[in-house]
Amino acid sequence: QVHMVESGGGSVQAGGSLRLSCSASGYTDSGYCIGWFRQGPGKEREGVAVFDTVGLTRYADAVKGRFTISKDNAKEVVYLQMNSLKPEDTAIYYCAAEGCGARGVWDDPGEYKVWGQGTQVTVSS
């Protein structure tokens, strides 16, 4: 059974940085989308950054220029480097895999079949 496990969350002040890691054994080079979603308090789950089916990166407009997704296929780990964090980035961050199936929509959580348990990121002002 494949497990996806996130780590690296925590509490930081606005302007700070965090790096999230996702152990994604079996999924980092699968030909599906793999990446990060988040769900803030009272909000719907939203796409943050992913590698699409051909390995290109996709970012939500809200994080472009601040967040960087990367992966190490040999270690089967996906990273999310988050810089210049803002209070509105506060959320539970989830790693997701086997996405972009029939519809090919990268930021639709319904397109992803495998999820981690999430890691909390809190940004204070």
Side-chain angles (χ1 to χ4, degrees):
Q1 185 174 357
V2 175
H3 296 280
M4 296 182 67
V5 180
E6 303 95 336
S7 61
S11 297
V12 295
Q13 291 190 328
S17 298
L18 284 173
R19 188 176 81 155
L20 306 182
S21 299
C22 172
S23 175
S25 179
Y27 288 110
T28 56
D29 196 22
S30 67
Y32 287 94
C33 287
I34 182 170
W36 295 92
F37 283 72
R38 68 184 181 186
Q39 187 163 13
K43 297 181 181 179
E44 294 186 353
R45 195 168 296 190
E46 62 179 0
V48 176
V50 305
F51 286 97
D52 68 14
T53 56
V54 294
L56 299 178
T57 55
R58 305 289 190 100
Y59 293 94
D61 289 343
V63 306
K64 283 181 180 176
R66 299 188 298 122
F67 291 11
T68 303
I69 189 172
S70 62
K71 61 176 177 168
D72 186 328
N73 286 338
K75 295 181 179 178
E76 298 186 301
V77 178
V78 181
Y79 302 99
L80 185 67
Q81 178 66 44
M82 305 185 295
N83 298 328
S84 302
L85 282 161
K86 304 176 181 180
E88 51 263 45
D89 295 318
T90 294
I92 300 173
Y93 284 71
Y94 297 91
C95 190
E98 286 210 339
C100 304
R103 295 178 56 235
V105 178
W106 77 265
D107 58 351
D108 180 355
E111 290 276 295
Y112 290 75
K113 297 180 181 178
V114 182
W115 291 86
Q117 83 289 350
T119 185
Q120 177 71 47
V121 171
T122 302
V123 185
S124 58
S125 57

